[in-house]
Amino acid sequence: MLRRDFTATMAAAAGASLLGSRPAKAAAALEIGLGGAFTTIDPHFFHATPNHTVAMHMFERLVDREADGRLVPRLAESWTLVGPTLWEMKLRPGVRFHDGSPFTSDDVAFTFQRAPNVPNSPGGFGTFLRTVSRLEVVDPLTIRIHTHQPAPDLLLNLTYIGILSRRTGEGASTADYNSGKAAIGTGPYRFVSFTPGNRVELERHDGWWGPAPAWEKVTLRLLANPAARTAALLSGDVQVIDTPSVSDLARLREDPRISVSSVPGIRFMYVVPDLSREGESPHVLSNSGQPLPRNPFRDRRVREALSLAVQRTALAERVMLNTAAPTGQWMPQGSYSYAPSVGIPDFNIDRARQLLAEAGLPDGFRLTMHSPNDRYPNDARLAQAVAQMWSRIGVRTSVEALPWSNFYGRGIRQEYSMALWGWGSPTFEAGYMLTNCLATFDRERNRGPYNYGRYSNPDLDQMIFSSVQEMDQAKREQLLIAAVERATSDVPVIPLLMLENLWATHRSVTISPRRDERTYAPDIRPA
């Protein structure tokens, strides 16, 4: 049963087209304006979509995803589930790194050793290899991956592990990748330069094993301000922008020079309460301005009250201008492991006030909510709208919006009482958020690394890790749905919206929009 299921997956993947046919003539240059701050060239330093966007141009994975989310082979040409805890992979022959050296099994072994152990990483990659007990090199183009337990999500997690060259990467620091010294991958583009906070410049790797991309040179420019992205596109300074401001969409759609592309996204926007403290929480005050002696968010009734006070339809229609959908969970409707019983939470101000009173807070309290102001579409505006809704039930909420580079570091240090976050699930199943964001934080076992509020529920933990070890896909889906139902009933986070992914392009180019939000130059072609 196991072999049949996964051999079928392998065969379907192997038959999928990777990047289309080779263009007849390469175009000179492509300029892309990105809204999310990319912070490093090191593919294992910081797990964030803007960094993955940059890295995937240079560093390939064993397994990856197409724009529509389909799993496809990359550096692994095929794979077989030999037994419940053993996978064998055949690597693609003839692949060379940007420096001309051959790609072999030894480079995979080096990568698996390095990825979970990058010094000073703020968001390490150990979670993606948590099930791997050891990697066995069989021959230069064959590896065997041994896991601690059955790991049906192994292939999904390997889509995050960019493969490095042992020859140039051994002993290299993140600074060596940022300087270009160690930025040697096998991907379609090779490193030219990186200016932090500004741009990454790339040139086509003509020795790439795949179909040649259309562009000889690609520049990824950081344009964090939405108005600046729109202006750059309209002036012709860039040909593509991601996450155009929703306020500019009507204008862009009316401009005959511009095309707007979209695809349903997998980005879940939600608010995370501090559950790490029993006593005072740093940004929660009484109405007289004194710290509350106990953390109100430890009481489920308070969390439910805040959820009931959010009018999600208004957020989707008025704040996001119909570029998002209200939700009560983190998977899109109709996807694998979506829980039909978990609907959009009710909007009920009277019940919210009643719950606050039952929790001993009839007059509410004062709260500062934190939000990034340059990471997600309309992030600060979304936070402000939620704050206004909470103020109506007596939780007088102000918003402190920060650049992502500052926001993230403070968030992982548990400095917030309440914060707006986004989470994408490009594994296209609910277990990814469950294991990373809702499982009890355990650094040693790489569990819950992005559990920013430090929610902990041992019963849910057992449900999560039973589900992600189930190899039968139908049974696994039912276990995941049960875990989603259990998690959402406890309101560990306050769900808001599922985002639509948007790009605006000059009509001289076309783009295949990706469900994982990444902007990948080979997906962009001259019109």
Side-chain angles (χ1 to χ4, degrees), residues 84-111:
T85 61
L86 177 60
W87 297 75
E88 182 173 280
M89 288 190 160
K90 297 293 185 180
L91 304 183
R92 191 174 296 278
V95 175
R96 292 190 174 272
F97 285 96
H98 298 156
D99 63 357
S101 60
F103 159 69
T104 71
S105 299
D106 187 54
D107 299 303
V108 181
F110 165 70
T111 298

Side-chain angles (χ1 to χ4, degrees), residues 339-342 480-490:
S341 64
V342 178
L480 285 170
I481 288 172
V484 171
E485 293 169 340
R486 179 67 181 86
T488 53
S489 70
D490 208 21

Side-chain angles (χ1 to χ4, degrees), residues 276-298:
S276 66
R277 302 169 178 88
E278 289 278 1
E280 295 179 9
S281 192
H283 301 284
V284 179
L285 303 173
S286 68
N287 289 322
S288 62
Q290 301 302 310
L292 285 183
R294 64 182 179 86
N295 179 0
F297 307 124
R298 300 275 291 195

Side-chain angles (χ1 to χ4, degrees), residues 326-509:
T327 191
Q329 58 186 296
W330 52 92
M331 293 306 298
Q333 188 171 359
S335 60
Y336 178 84
S337 64
Y338 173 84
S341 64
V342 178
I344 301 168
D346 293 335
F347 171 59
N348 191 329
I349 285 182
D350 291 339
R351 177 59 179 157
R353 289 174 175 149
Q354 179 184 348
L355 285 168
L356 287 178
E358 291 175 4
L361 296 162
D363 299 320
F365 53 90
R366 289 163 56 181
L367 169 66
T368 299
M369 176 166 54
H370 289 80
S371 169
N373 60 15
D374 61 355
R375 175 62 186 90
Y376 312 110
N378 261 7
D379 41 17
R381 275 191 65 197
L382 185 61
Q384 289 283 0
V386 172
Q388 291 172 14
M389 293 173 180
W390 286 349
S391 294
R392 292 176 193 153
I393 62 168
V395 180
R396 296 163 183 83
T397 306
S398 60
V399 173
E400 182 179 347
L402 307 167
W404 175 251
S405 56
N406 295 331
F407 173 86
Y408 183 82
R410 291 182 59 185
I412 62 174
R413 294 192 296 270
Q414 276 67 62
E415 293 186 14
Y416 304 143
S417 294
M418 187 72 69
L420 177 75
W421 293 90
W423 185 260
S425 294
T427 56
F428 291 83
E429 46 81 53
Y432 184 62
M433 182 161 182
L434 286 165
T435 55
N436 284 288
C437 303
L438 296 175
T440 300
F441 175 70
D442 185 334
R443 190 185 305 276
E444 294 300 318
R445 292 193 287 178
N446 287 306
R447 293 181 175 181
Y450 304 100
N451 183 340
Y452 302 116
R454 293 298 188 260
Y455 171 73
S456 180
N457 182 331
D459 291 339
L460 178 63
D461 289 343
Q462 185 173 354
M463 296 177 72
I464 292 171
F465 291 102
S466 294
S467 66
V468 298
Q469 294 178 37
E470 175 56 60
M471 300 299 286
D472 182 284
Q473 293 297 293
K475 291 179 180 177
R476 182 169 183 257
E477 181 174 31
Q478 292 308 308
L479 291 172
L480 285 170
I481 288 172
V484 171
E485 293 169 340
R486 179 67 181 86
T488 53
S489 70
D490 208 21
V491 201
V493 302
I494 297 166
L496 300 176
L497 303 168
M498 294 294 299
L499 298 185
E500 182 179 11
N501 298 340
L502 293 160
W503 289 262
T505 64
H506 193 274
R507 285 194 181 271
S508 62
V509 304

